[in-house]
Every structure is written in C-alpha cells, then in structure tokens.
Amino acid sequence: MSKIKYRSIPGMITVFVLCICHVGKTQGNKKEPISQPLVTHIYTADPSAHLFNGRIYIYPSHDSATGAPENDNGDHFDMKDYHILSMDAIGGKVTDDGVALSIKDIPWAGRQLWAPDAAFANDMYYLYFPAKDKMGINRIGVATSKKPGGPFVAEKEPLRGSYSIDPCVFKDDDGSFYIYFGGIWGGQLQRWNNNKYDSAAKLRQPDETAILPRIAKLNKDMKSFSGEVKEVKIVDKNGNLFKEKDNDKRFFEASWMHKYNGKYYFSYSTGDTHFICYAIGDNPYGPFTYQGVVLNPVAGWTNHHSIITIKDKWYLFYHDALLSGKTHLRNVKVTELKYNKDGTIQTITAYK
Ligand code: FUB
C-alpha cells in the first residue's frame, strides 16, 4: 500500500484524478457500481474469502477513522481489530461475528492490522495477519480458533522469518499449504533483500527489475515456515522479469493464489496504477507468466481482492471507497468472475 507517494503532490493528484473519474462515472454519467457493499455498519476492506463447512467466510481488514494523522507512514490506516463476515450464499444475509481479534490481545503487535487471510487445518482455523511490531517493522502473525468466525487467540510472537504485509495462504491439492506475502512502499518489502532487513534500503529505480512477492511453505503446525522464504517470479510472455517502470504490471501488494483447471493463478495489485492483475504458472512457486487485468481500478487508491469458487461459479471479492469517498474507509463487495475458453480471465470493471 502506498504510504509515501500518494501523499506526495503527484500522488495526491493521482488520487484526485481517480476520485473525479469515479465520481464522473458514477454520478455525472449516471454510471452505477456493479455491486453494493456487503455490509455498511462498519467499513471493511481487503476481503479474503473462503468456503468453510459450506458457508462463505470473508476475512477483511476493519477500516476505521481513529483520527490518526494522515502522513507518509500511512498512520491513518490505523485498524485495531478484525471482524469476520459470513453468509450462506452469494446474495444471502451477511452476518458479522463481532470482534474476532483485537490488537490489544496480540502481544507482539504495535499497530495497524492490515489485510488478513485464513486457513483450516488440524481441526483448527488459522488467521494470518500483518501488523507493525513494537519497533515499527511489518511482520505477519497467526492466531487460532475452533470456529471460522473466531474469536481467535494470537501467538505470542510473529511467524519466525516473516516480514512485510498481505499474507495469502493457499492449500494445494496434495494438502500442502503455502503462504504468499509482501507489499512495497508502506508495506516495507523494499527493505528486505535475501530475507535480511535494511531500514535504509530504497525503492527500485525505474530501469531496475521490480521487487518480487514472497512465498514460503508452511509446516504442518501452520505456525512456522518450512525452509527459506523465496521470491515469486512474475514474467512477461518472453520470460523476462518486469522492471519497476512497468508499474501497470509489476507486483505491488495484495497476493492471491487460486487454481483453475490444474494451473496456478497468482493475482496481485499493481498499487500505484491500481490494477488487479494475474499471472499463470505450473506450480505454487512459479514462475508465473503475466496474462492481464482481473479488475480495473476502483474508487479510492487501493485495490485488493480474493477469488474463490462456489457451486461451479467463480467470484471476485474486492473493495472500493465509493461510499465514503475516503481512501482509508472502504467497503467489501463481490461479483461473478468468468473465464474464457482458453483459461484467461474476463476483465471486470466495477462500474457500469
Ligand atoms: O488495508 C491496508 C492495506 O491496504 C492492505 O494491506 C493493502 O493491500 C491495501 O489494500
């Protein structure tokens, strides 16, 4: 997520232009959103959806206006707890199971509970979440519950060897679990090279290869990494890695993995260009070959999603800031996702 540039002058202009475009689309030109917020009693974002016991569970960030100042560190994304949403079917009544985990109950966390994900294994539900530790370094934690809607109890320490933001936990058909993570700019991924932290490390220059998301296999305990954290290669059709200047295609944040017809689909946000893109590979580690756009930019600055199948249909869960008009106060939504015969995804625009 942008913690710096979209608060700089060019970034502010980008946000302003995007807002104007969306207002124009949704009001001036009488364009309407294709989906309504799933809930409006709280602001929610970054929806990671799963089907557990035949019920749809959505693990979102819980946006709130805490009055934290807007600054280069993104302090106004000051989320303090998680609420889990669930429903029997798409279009059905959405239930909010209340506070599932609060930052005050996470011993290692300092602030900012950002985009989470969840998994089921060992007769237990695992909630994976990023937060800044007490030193201000983004780490990924895990919490457990016997129920998919929580409440969850956090481990005393973050996952050993974890860093940055936006965990996505994927279960492969052989029962192995993998965790994808990372986010540049405010997500601090640029500070991690060869899994070592350098607080002074800078963002890449336009002609340098883009920073890559990360993957680790999870051990059976679901609370530790099996082996080293690796980079996930996203390449163009010629097998070349993207450069930083390819910022309409290169990885920024919001990893998601799903499998379709035996292929691995890695999708992600391009951040400062606001697309959800995807790339296809033959195994969980990649490389993944860039294919195109899943979701065009939405109202607000951030774009973050998940993709799951329910009863032979596929769905995209996403968020936008149409209702509040404020980048840090978002609402989660869902719409159907369709494939072409060749396995490519039909691009979605969230406004008619
Ligand atoms: O919600 C906080 C952050 O905003 C997430 O971690 C990013 O993916 C962006 O959506």
Side-chain angles (χ1 to χ4, degrees):
M1 127 133 34
S2 103
K3 290 291 161 280
I4 301 165
K5 289 196 180 165
Y6 76 90
R7 268 170 291 283
S8 68
I9 294 303
M12 290 303 280
I13 291 169
T14 306
V15 170
F16 182 70
V17 169
L18 272 172
C19 288
I20 293 295
C21 285
H22 287 298
V23 169
K25 272 183 183 168
T26 54
Q27 291 171 7
N29 300 334
K30 298 205 171 25
K31 299 285 186 187
E32 293 294 328
I34 57 169
S35 303
Q36 295 302 318
L38 288 178
V39 294
T40 53
H41 67 291
I42 54 172
Y43 287 109
T44 53
D46 311 321
S48 292
H50 291 273
L51 201 58
F52 290 137
N53 302 323
R55 191 168 166 83
I56 304 162
Y57 286 87
I58 303 155
Y59 298 83
S61 302
H62 175 198
D63 286 353
S64 53
T66 63
E70 183 163 345
N71 60 25
D72 283 356
N73 297 319
D75 286 348
H76 56 306
F77 287 88
D78 187 27
M79 296 84 118
K80 296 192 182 305
D81 60 28
Y82 292 112
H83 285 229
I84 293 155
L85 309 177
S86 63
M87 53 192 177
D88 279 335
I90 298 292
K93 180 173 176 280
V94 181
T95 303
D96 173 356
D97 286 320
V99 175
L101 180 64
S102 178
I103 196 149
K104 64 179 170 35
D105 298 321
I106 306 168
W108 61 268
R111 62 196 164 99
Q112 294 178 300
L113 294 178
W114 286 2
D117 194 17
F120 176 70
N122 311 323
D123 286 325
M124 192 71 90
Y125 294 90
Y126 295 83
L127 180 71
Y128 297 87
F129 59 91
K132 284 199 171 63
D133 66 14
K134 311 257 192 227
M135 312 283 286
I137 300 173
N138 285 312
R139 303 277 182 188
I140 296 169
V142 62
T144 53
S145 175
K146 281 285 180 191
K147 292 189 287 183
F152 284 84
V153 177
E155 294 293 301
K156 290 196 168 46
E157 301 287 340
L159 290 167
R160 186 186 291 269
S162 74
Y163 50 85
S164 196
I165 59 167
D166 289 4
C168 159
V169 176
F170 166 72
K171 183 183 184 183
D172 207 350
D173 298 335
D174 66 357
S176 303
F177 284 89
Y178 300 86
I179 183 166
Y180 298 85
F181 61 91
I184 62 173
W185 293 17
Q188 301 178 347
L189 190 58
Q190 66 276 8
R191 297 186 187 174
W192 292 88
N193 283 304
N194 297 319
N195 299 325
K196 300 225 160 40
Y197 184 71
D198 173 2
S199 64
K202 297 270 183 299
L203 288 161
R204 300 270 166 92
Q205 293 301 305
D207 277 312
E208 290 183 294
T209 54
I211 294 167
L212 296 170
R214 306 295 205 266
I215 183 174
K217 192 172 184 183
L218 287 171
N219 282 322
K220 293 236 178 307
D221 67 3
M222 300 293 281
K223 296 176 180 172
S224 57
F225 294 168
S226 160
E228 271 223 317
V229 171
K230 295 183 167 64
E231 290 183 333
V232 176
K233 290 195 171 72
I234 304 167
V235 296
D236 65 16
K237 294 252 154 75
N238 299 318
N240 298 317
L241 290 169
F242 289 118
K243 298 202 162 144
E244 172 55 27
K245 67 184 175 193
D246 301 318
N247 62 340
D248 58 343
K249 298 187 180 69
R250 64 94 171 87
F251 174 82
F252 189 104
E253 62 188 1
S255 296
W256 188 258
M257 171 57 66
H258 76 276
K259 215 167 167 182
Y260 178 73
N261 283 348
K263 295 280 186 190
Y264 295 78
Y265 286 59
F266 180 75
S267 47
Y268 56 95
S269 170
T270 61
D272 54 343
T273 51
H274 318 285
F275 295 103
I276 299 295
C277 290
Y278 72 109
I280 298 180
D282 293 322
N283 69 76
Y285 291 101
F288 298 97
T289 306
Y290 178 87
Q291 303 293 322
V293 172
V294 175
L295 178 63
N296 278 318
V298 294
W301 199 94
T302 64
N303 205 350
H304 193 127
H305 69 300
S306 61
I307 297 169
I308 62 166
T309 182
I310 306 163
K311 292 189 177 154
D312 293 335
K313 285 191 169 184
W314 285 85
Y315 293 93
L316 174 78
F317 290 76
Y318 64 103
H319 69 225
D320 73 13
L322 196 62
L323 198 61
S324 73
K326 292 194 167 66
T327 280
H328 65 297
L329 299 177
R330 301 159 290 181
N331 290 95
V332 299
K333 300 180 165 186
V334 61
T335 192
E336 195 177 343
L337 174 145
K338 292 183 175 154
Y339 297 88
N340 296 310
K341 287 211 172 89
D342 63 0
T344 54
I345 291 174
Q346 295 180 9
T347 301
I348 293 168
T349 299
Y351 311 94
K352 292 182 239 176

